[in-house]
Amino acid sequence: MTKVSMMKTWSPETGSLDIATLGRLYRDGSLTPSAVVSACYDRIAARGDDHVWIHLAPRETVMAQAKALEAGGPTDDPLWGIPYSVKDCNDVPGMPTTNALPEMEYWPETTGQAINRLIESGALCLGKVNMDQFGIGLVGVRTPYGACSSVFGEDFISGGSSSGSGVSVAAGLVSFSVANDAAGSGRVPAAFNNIVGLKPTPGFISNSSVSGGGSLKSAETMTVFALTTADAVTVGRRMGGYDPSYEFSKPEADTVDLAIAPIPPKFRFGVPAGAALRFFGDGEAEKLFAAAVARLEAMGGTKVEVDFTPFEETQKLLYGGPFIAERAIAMDKVVAEHRDHIHPVTLSILETSSDHSAKDVFAAIHKVAALKRDTRATWADIDVLVVPTTPTIYTKAEILADPIRLNAQLGIYTNFVNLMGLCGMAVPNGFRPDGMPQGITFLAPSWQDAKVASYGAAYHAATGLTLGATDNPQPA
């Protein structure tokens, strides 16, 4: 599934939607936003009922927006005329927000800084996409709208909670998708669909566009799915920055230059040591990660096995500790009003939010602080930490039969990241013999977003993998 040849012409059926390609064609006059929008809607129709879209904007509405852009000609903004989707827990004016609970649907008239910046850029929102209800889950099956599948296998999960976001990008329906990540929702769908997931430092992209400001405000962040790291960075740079209207936005966001640079010719990358590197019996995923380590070494890296205990202990706290109680602030009223309509697995998780005392919460905060302290020597010894994005991939049937345990297993390399304030870039890493993809994630401390983006871009290029499920090559 690699390709090195360059595309000669852009096909409405199969042409790449990566931002670099569309921008080049827009500016040389060989393609227009309305032609791309028309192609996107035709592709969406051709896929049929794939459970990706919760709300698809009327074709004529987005075509009119595209024509209005064309009347002014291309601008220098790289997002001009670029089609995108939005996870349904984020507000877009004129489109419904449901959080995958149709009974609480509302139509926002305004949104926050991040989405507003995309609108101002001339990017074209095609609609709202499916998700695990309230963003709780890494699987993509906890939704009343029907479960998405990985673009590479109908029986396999798409990953969640940003399921529709991942599939809409990988299937070549949009160029990028705006999503969210508290436990790994901006990374797991990237791994299961052969695309890129930008998970910034919490506070870099304001959550003021998120419904209610988010339900796990102290940890979650908006994220970006894209076909390439460069595309994800292009979108992330536009969305990011300090937002004085949102209490968890951070002034440091204005100091981060989220830009891709060449990686050093020699570098040190950490990997989990010993039994912490687990794949739960998936030998092919284990081989793929070993191949990733070998590729990084060929790129000039030195592997450093790190004590993963602090990261492991932190990831257990996200859902196994009192941090779930933070969701009660936003969700207790929803549960009281809509209990009969909430997905049973989601409800069982939310009902544990009242099991913890204030002492429990503070004890957990103190424990995370101590665990972060325990990782400082590790970060001083490595440039980046590299982990499998997930240890394996499961079928829908497997998840339905064992929803809590298997979801928890999927999060062993993701759950700790936001609690520790880290930034990450999830990139493709190849395919198992059965054709199902796996990914790796580059991690670094707060505000080193440009570093993980640079390593992610270099690594993705080295794989030679095609983009999503489109069979299009990575742009030069």
Side-chain angles (χ1 to χ4, degrees), residues 285-308:
E286 186 173 5
K287 290 177 184 176
L288 281 170
F289 188 70
V293 169
R295 182 175 289 117
L296 286 165
E297 290 175 330
M299 293 167 62
T302 297
K303 182 183 76 169
V304 179
E305 293 192 344
V306 303
D307 179 7
F308 206 62

Side-chain angles (χ1 to χ4, degrees), residues 100-428:
L101 181 66
E103 290 75 15
M104 62 175 289
E105 175 185 294
Y106 66 93
W107 290 69
E109 296 181 357
T110 62
T111 186
Q113 174 175 285
I115 297 293
N116 276 331
R117 288 182 169 181
L118 297 179
I119 295 170
E120 292 164 0
S121 289
L124 297 166
C125 182
L126 270 56
K128 308 291 289 297
V129 286
N130 208 349
M131 58 181 284
D132 279 320
Q133 198 170 67
F134 309 128
I136 299 175
L138 295 175
V139 289
V141 303
R142 302 172 185 173
T143 168
Y145 296 105
C148 298
S149 300
S150 165
V151 289
F152 295 98
E154 182 64 29
D155 293 335
F156 286 84
I157 61 173
S158 60
S161 60
S162 310
S163 54
S165 290
V167 175
S168 64
V169 172
L173 309 180
V174 291
S175 299
F176 69 91
S177 188
V178 176
N180 304 78
D181 186 309
S185 300
R187 290 161 278 160
V188 172
F192 293 170
N193 292 282
N194 191 44
I195 58 173
V196 165
L198 167 65
K199 203 292 307 170
T201 299
F204 176 68
I205 300 177
S206 167
N207 272 18
S208 59
S209 296
V210 183
S211 177
S215 61
L216 198 65
K217 292 184 178 182
S218 67
E220 70 179 72
T221 176
M222 295 183 74
T223 61
V224 180
F225 287 112
L227 293 165
T228 70
T229 301
D231 284 3
V233 165
T234 295
V235 179
R237 294 178 84 176
R238 191 69 181 96
M239 293 173 64
Y242 177 57
D243 179 2
S245 75
Y246 187 70
E247 59 269 33
F248 284 93
S249 181
K250 298 177 181 177
E252 294 95 326
D254 283 341
T255 70
V256 175
D257 181 17
L258 183 55
I260 295 173
I263 63 172
K266 300 294 181 182
F267 58 91
R268 294 168 64 82
F269 65 97
V271 298
L277 189 59
R278 294 178 288 163
F279 298 90
F280 300 104
D282 189 341
E284 297 301 332
E286 186 173 5
K287 290 177 184 176
L288 281 170
F289 188 70
V293 169
R295 182 175 289 117
L296 286 165
E297 290 175 330
M299 293 167 62
T302 297
K303 182 183 76 169
V304 179
E305 293 192 344
V306 303
D307 179 7
F308 206 62
T309 303
F311 303 101
E312 179 92 15
E313 292 301 310
T314 302
Q315 74 91 7
K316 292 176 182 177
L317 288 171
L318 187 63
Y319 283 110
F323 288 102
I324 188 65
E326 185 176 1
R327 293 191 186 269
I329 299 172
M331 299 306 303
D332 276 358
K333 183 179 178 181
V334 175
V335 171
E337 292 181 1
H338 301 288
R339 174 179 296 272
D340 293 342
H341 300 287
I342 296 174
H343 191 282
V345 177
T346 305
L347 182 62
S348 70
I349 295 169
L350 289 173
E351 286 183 329
T352 67
S353 64
S354 59
D355 295 346
H356 306 281
S357 68
K359 288 183 179 179
D360 294 333
V361 174
F362 279 107
I365 291 172
H366 296 171
K367 185 171 183 179
V368 170
L371 292 168
K372 288 173 67 176
R373 174 204 62 204
D374 294 345
T375 67
R376 287 176 190 142
T378 294
W379 292 117
D381 191 39
I382 59 175
D383 294 288
V384 287
L385 177 64
V386 181
V387 295
T389 302
T390 65
T392 186
I393 184 172
Y394 295 114
T395 65
K396 293 178 181 178
E398 287 172 326
I399 291 294
L400 291 173
D402 194 358
I404 300 296
R405 184 178 68 90
L406 297 189
N407 188 98
Q409 289 182 176
L410 286 177
I412 63 171
Y413 302 120
T414 61
N415 287 346
F416 62 87
V417 176
N418 282 323
L419 285 182
M420 287 187 152
L422 307 178
C423 56
M425 180 64 74
V427 297

